[in-house]
Amino acid sequence: MKTVVLKFGGTSVGSIDRIKNVARIISSYKRKKMGVIVVSSAMSGTTNELIKKTKELSNSFDAAEYDVLLATGEQATCALIAGRLKHLGFKARSWMSWQLPIITEGPYSSSRISKINKGKILSFMKSGGIPIITGFQGINLENRITTLGRGGTDASAIMLAKYFNTDACDIYTDVDGVYTTDPRNHSKAKKIHKISYDEMLEMASLGAKVMQPTSVQDAKLNNINFSVKSSFQKKKGTLITAVKKTFSNQIITGITSTKNNSKVTIVGVKDRPGVAAAVFKPLSLNQINVDMVVQNISLNGKETDLTFTIKSEDVKKTEKIIKQNKKISFRKFTYDNNVSKVSIIGVGMITTPGITYRMFQALASKKINIMVISTSEIKISVLISNKQIKKAVAVLHREFKLD
Ligand code: ADP
Ligand code: ASP
Ligand code: MG
């Protein structure tokens, strides 16, 4: 018997009608005599609502209780899906992660699955049952509930596919595949039929919300092929896999943008060894993720400016940490909350010269100022003003023949 993991995201289970629709999709796999493992997210908006409640109670809400609370959303949808399937005459039941259990490692809110106990699910499936498993959650070795980071049901799906060694893993969402750029923000975005793990990982990490970055990393590490499909339209989706057949003229695969970035500049730090480390160590100890970094070349050999980007929500905390840092001296701390990162991604970049120039030229043609640049083998990112994102994505999409 062929087996498959079916993952349903928040929008796909976002209302009673949509739960009915999900049950229909599940039953279509059962009709093909497949063994099905379902994993579901919370209804869209639920997790955000829960987070809001914790913020109203404390600005440093207990990490363990935070995960206990956030995990409740998935419990509700799994029960609803299982209940609907039973109504339709199927053998189904919900399983919370702790009931298997799904074991995780790492800190609360960003744990990773390290083991899935399969026994109960396998015997339930053997008897024809459809298990509906909560995504996004697990338990740690202290027997406490953990969560896998925002969008973490994607990681649950990939790891279920790994542990149960299923034949397929279908990620059902509200778009019918991975597009060259977010189809909600650019009408000329095109569906990508097949994309490599590496490109998908870059796209996810650089702002394409469609897959959680960690889940793509898990898929790559374990060589799990998966498809992204729409739960609303019956269309062929996107296959994410190890190899990619590209058209020879296709250099760039996708374009992404991020929101809520801030650019911080520390003006007049001493230009000597150890200063950058002294600036960034306390930030890292406080879980502040620093992204793009530039240090200007100092003119007098004594002082320089250090610029870096962080999430906007971390600006105040960063300012406090920098200003209290006795290991550094500087003249001024400034920040700009109205910046975004736009990136072009494609393995074709490795073998094609001149991509950086074409990107900068295209942006310049629309009078878009570049503040910070960062590159890797298969991506180029630039920091620009928030207001110019739409324009930047559009001009780059055209420049790299993705329209
Ligand atoms: P789910 O709740 O199913 O997990 P998400 O909201 O996490 O769904 O991800 C789907 C969304 O990702 C889409 O609605 C789309 O707006 C967004 N998205 C961003 N970039 C892309 C892209 N390149 N291709 C497809 N969708 C994208
Ligand atoms: N419900 C969780 C979230 O909103 C997990 C998920 O949807 O994948 O982040
Ligand atoms: Mg998601």
Side-chain angles (χ1 to χ4, degrees), residues 379-391:
K379 72 113 206 271
I380 306 169
S381 301
V382 294
L383 196 71
I384 62 171
S385 157
N386 261 344
K387 287 192 212 106
Q388 294 176 307
I389 305 180
K390 241 184 133 64
K391 209 160 60 172

Side-chain angles (χ1 to χ4, degrees), residues 206-221:
L206 294 166
K209 194 182 164 226
V210 62
M211 285 300 295
Q212 187 210 30
T214 320
S215 72
V216 184
Q217 215 172 36
D218 287 337
K220 184 184 165 186
L221 284 171

Side-chain angles (χ1 to χ4, degrees), residues 7 9-11 172-175 177-179 181-184 203 208-210:
K7 180 256 172 175
T11 315
Y172 279 94
T173 183
D174 55 5
V175 280
V178 178
Y179 277 69
T181 191
D182 189 341
R184 295 194 196 289
M203 283 186 68
K209 194 182 164 226
V210 62

Side-chain angles (χ1 to χ4, degrees), residues 261-265 294 307-310 312 315 333-339 371-372 383:
N261 296 133
S262 287
K263 176 170 68 86
V264 169
T265 302
V294 250
T307 296
F308 54 91
T309 62
I310 50 173
S312 300
V315 163
F333 176 97
T334 62
Y335 64 87
D336 180 354
N337 277 342
N338 301 311
V339 294
M371 303 175 198
V372 182
L383 196 71

